[in-house]
Amino acid sequence: MTSNALTITEEEEDDLVTLDDTGYDTEQPYFDYEESGNVTALLGKTAILNCRVKNIGNKTVSWVRHRDIHLLTVGRFTYTSDERFSARHTAGSDDWLLLVHYVQKRDEGMYECQISTTPPESHLIHLSVVEAETVIVGGPDVYINTGSRLSLTCSVKYSPEPPAFIFWYHDDKLVSYDRTRVGVVVSDERGLVTTSRLLVQTADTKHSGNYTCSPANSHPKSVIVHVIAGDQPAAIVHENAAPSPLPHPLTLIFPLLLFLLFPLPRFFS
């Protein structure tokens, strides 16, 4: 009886490739794409680009700026005169980091993480640079009557992460953590757009003034609150407070032209 068992020589066994559960060659370096994704950084802060490489062995990892093919780092060494760029790697870790300090809009674009295999293996990571924006609803002037509720809403948009804090100021005095201000409540809601609300249940004339929303990662924004005393509706006060528009120059010139073209008749000789 003949045997159908397959026999493998030592030479053929050396040529076999061992795959792990992900389907990658366990003896060759490869990228962990899930941990090497695109990055969005805040203007002026530090951008951290991560390239995770498995089974690095004796190979090295380099970072190249793709737009001008400029070599930035090799291993843990930096090869650029721009001191804002630096490499970061911890021994035994699979992560090879490129740090861009004080990141600017011009730093946007593709960055290439490269493994020194033959031929080299490359993975592109896109860096986006955004500038957070602070918005207060209803500005720049808010008019309410005494006894009404004052509600100011401040939103921080286009930030890759929620601000660590948002401070409210009233005429340069901190409101957010001032317990002496009875009836003033500040609440925050964090998310893709972080919102902070300042609420005064019963507004008085003392609540008039400049209110500033100052997030940790964005420029401050201010509004002027006018608390109107008396029974006159705030909307009317707002309308009356606006300066009257100046007459158009043509409305002044037109009567003069009529006078020159059609002089008045002479009643006296």
Side-chain angles (χ1 to χ4, degrees), residues 17-115:
V17 175
T18 304
L19 303 180
D20 64 5
D21 294 338
T22 62
Y24 289 101
D25 182 356
T26 58
E27 297 181 358
Q28 293 295 323
Y30 63 91
F31 296 106
D32 184 344
Y33 295 106
E34 290 186 2
E35 300 298 331
S36 308
N38 296 331
V39 174
T40 299
L42 195 61
L43 182 71
K45 302 297 183 179
T46 299
I48 302 176
L49 284 67
N50 184 44
C51 183
R52 181 168 293 183
V53 179
K54 299 287 188 179
N55 302 330
I56 187 65
N58 61 353
K59 306 300 181 182
T60 58
V61 172
S62 303
W63 282 97
V64 178
R65 187 167 55 204
H66 200 255
R67 62 177 168 86
D68 54 0
I69 317 300
H70 183 71
L71 179 64
L72 299 173
T73 67
V74 177
R76 288 183 289 181
F77 300 97
T78 303
Y79 288 86
T80 176
S81 59
D82 192 338
E83 296 181 353
R84 297 180 305 116
F85 291 88
S86 63
R88 186 76 54 84
H89 175 69
T90 303
S93 169
D94 295 329
D95 295 326
W96 299 80
L97 307 180
L98 175 67
L99 277 64
V100 189
H101 303 278
Y102 309 107
V103 66
Q104 304 298 312
K105 289 293 289 184
R106 68 176 183 271
D107 297 320
E108 278 191 330
M110 291 292 188
Y111 290 81
E112 182 178 345
C113 176
Q114 192 176 96
I115 309 174

Side-chain angles (χ1 to χ4, degrees), residues 10-218:
E10 292 183 1
E11 291 79 5
E12 292 174 327
E13 186 175 358
D14 291 338
D15 293 335
L16 289 177
V17 175
T18 304
L19 303 180
D20 64 5
D21 294 338
T22 62
Y24 289 101
D25 182 356
T26 58
E27 297 181 358
Q28 293 295 323
Y30 63 91
F31 296 106
D32 184 344
Y33 295 106
E34 290 186 2
E35 300 298 331
S36 308
N38 296 331
V39 174
T40 299
L42 195 61
L43 182 71
K45 302 297 183 179
T46 299
I48 302 176
L49 284 67
N50 184 44
C51 183
R52 181 168 293 183
V53 179
K54 299 287 188 179
N55 302 330
I56 187 65
N58 61 353
K59 306 300 181 182
T60 58
V61 172
S62 303
W63 282 97
V64 178
R65 187 167 55 204
H66 200 255
R67 62 177 168 86
D68 54 0
I69 317 300
H70 183 71
L71 179 64
L72 299 173
T73 67
V74 177
R76 288 183 289 181
F77 300 97
T78 303
Y79 288 86
T80 176
S81 59
D82 192 338
E83 296 181 353
R84 297 180 305 116
F85 291 88
S86 63
R88 186 76 54 84
H89 175 69
T90 303
S93 169
D94 295 329
D95 295 326
W96 299 80
L97 307 180
L98 175 67
L99 277 64
V100 189
H101 303 278
Y102 309 107
V103 66
Q104 304 298 312
K105 289 293 289 184
R106 68 176 183 271
D107 297 320
E108 278 191 330
M110 291 292 188
Y111 290 81
E112 182 178 345
C113 176
Q114 192 176 96
I115 309 174
S116 62
T117 53
T118 305
E121 294 287 338
S122 296
H123 172 55
L124 293 176
I125 295 176
H126 187 269
L127 171 63
S128 300
V129 180
V130 297
E131 184 173 11
E133 179 183 354
T134 309
V135 178
I136 298 181
V137 179
D141 289 274
V142 175
Y143 293 82
I144 63 170
N145 291 112
T146 54
S148 301
R149 186 176 70 169
L150 170 62
S151 178
L152 299 177
T153 301
C154 175
S155 299
V156 182
K157 303 178 179 179
Y158 314 121
S159 176
E161 59 184 16
F165 58 83
I166 299 178
F167 288 157
W168 282 95
Y169 295 88
H170 178 208
D171 291 335
D172 299 327
K173 294 181 180 179
L174 183 64
V175 176
S176 302
Y177 301 99
D178 188 353
R179 296 182 178 179
T180 63
R181 294 176 179 265
V182 180
V184 180
V185 179
V186 175
S187 60
D188 297 338
E189 182 178 338
R190 300 178 181 274
L192 293 177
V193 176
T194 298
T195 301
S196 180
R197 292 181 175 83
L198 184 147
L199 179 64
V200 179
Q201 290 290 352
T202 306
D204 198 352
T205 53
K206 67 181 180 181
H207 295 118
S208 295
N210 184 297
Y211 285 81
T212 300
C213 172
S214 182
N217 60 351
S218 182

